[in-house]
């Protein structure tokens, strides 16, 4: 899976975030954490981020975007 790179809270760059011990992506600005499988925010479910199917084919990462 691949997720959006922008936090729904205040549009922080999630690529600058960290992974916590539960495998959630933590926003670098305010610490909101997002489940990488569902995109659900554990602080506020209304702030879920989009999740996209992804796969590795050879040396290429392919992401299915809407």
């Amino acid at each position: 899976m691949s997720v959006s790179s922008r936090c729904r809270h205040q549009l922080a760059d999630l690529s600058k975030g960290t992974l916590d011990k539960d495998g959630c992506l933590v926003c670098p600005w305010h610490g909101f954490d997002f489940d990488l499988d569902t995109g659900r925010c554990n602080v506020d479910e209304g702030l879920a981020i989009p999740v996209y199917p992804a796969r590795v084919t050879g040396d290429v990462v392919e992401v299915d975007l809407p």
Side-chain angles (χ1 to χ4, degrees):
M1 297 303 237
S2 178
V3 297
S4 171
S5 65
R6 292 287 172 198
C7 179
R8 295 289 191 185
H9 177 228
Q10 290 189 351
L11 301 179
D13 184 356
L14 292 175
S15 71
K16 306 264 191 251
T18 58
L19 291 178
D20 69 11
K21 62 179 174 54
D22 296 322
C24 291
L25 178 59
V26 180
C27 176
W29 286 5
H30 300 105
F32 285 39
D33 56 335
F34 297 88
D35 182 292
L36 291 177
D37 291 323
T38 65
R40 187 177 66 86
C41 178
N42 293 316
V43 176
D44 180 345
E45 289 186 24
L47 296 176
I49 56 176
V51 176
Y52 309 104
R55 67 198 156 280
V56 176
T57 304
D59 293 337
V60 177
V61 175
E62 298 174 337
V63 178
D64 295 330
L65 298 175

